[in-house]
Amino acid sequence: MSTRHILLGLLATGPSHGYDLKRRHDERFPQARPLAYGQVYTTLQRLVRDGLAEVDGTGSDGGPERTAYRSTDEGTRELSRWAAEIAPPAPFVANEIFAKVVVAILSGGDPAGYLSAQRAAHMERMRELTALKAAPGADLATVLSADYALNHLDADLRWMNTTAARLTTLTAEVDAT
């Protein structure tokens, strides 16, 4: 996910302080990794440097001084270009689970036991996400984010089941090389 474009998208609704942008990011993208304040301010500085955002003013409103930022016309154009780009399917999938299965085979570990434990962890996370989206008052962003994660976890589980069924063959291939 492109933090710079997400912040430009949040700025599209009007000028905002870094604190507000971080809060709105975490609300709008509930299943994403929360942004660190340092990441927000560093990204805002880069947006200003690149002419995609500019300082709209500073104020304290009785608290610490805060700088408000707004998108520039170039920032709006950049956001439109980015939002219209089709995200290409990844040509390679980095699969840590597969790597750990192979390493377990190479090191004399227990790949079947690892897959079983990993399936249990995936199932637990799926239960958490299902409860999250079924909670009273769950907003649509939370439900959609949970659905996205659940579909990916389900695909992982199907892959783990297939790999477990083929573990004898995989072990023979790994041991032969």
Side-chain angles (χ1 to χ4, degrees), residues 57-128:
T58 57
S60 65
D61 295 328
E65 187 172 280
R66 292 188 180 169
T67 301
Y69 298 86
R70 68 180 179 88
S71 182
T72 62
D73 290 342
E74 183 57 32
T76 301
R77 286 190 292 276
E78 169 64 21
L79 180 63
S80 292
R81 278 191 298 273
W82 175 80
E85 289 176 358
I86 301 300
F92 302 101
V93 178
N95 187 333
E96 184 176 355
I97 299 168
F98 177 67
K100 289 183 177 185
V101 168
V102 171
V103 167
I105 293 168
L106 290 170
S107 65
D110 180 10
Y114 169 75
L115 285 171
S116 179
Q118 188 65 57
R119 277 195 300 267
H122 270 56
M123 293 298 295
E124 177 59 29
R125 181 63 181 144
M126 290 175 85
R127 283 189 287 277
E128 292 168 1

Side-chain angles (χ1 to χ4, degrees), residues 3-14 21 24 79 82:
T3 302
R4 74 189 265 132
H5 291 103
I6 297 300
L7 291 182
L8 280 172
L10 294 171
L11 286 172
T13 63
L21 290 167
R24 287 175 34 222
L79 180 63
W82 175 80

Side-chain angles (χ1 to χ4, degrees), residues 3 7 18-19 22 34-46 69:
T3 302
L7 291 182
Y19 174 83
K22 186 247 188 292
L35 288 179
Y37 286 106
Q39 183 179 10
V40 170
Y41 290 108
T42 299
T43 303
L44 285 169
Q45 289 170 354
R46 288 184 185 133
Y69 298 86

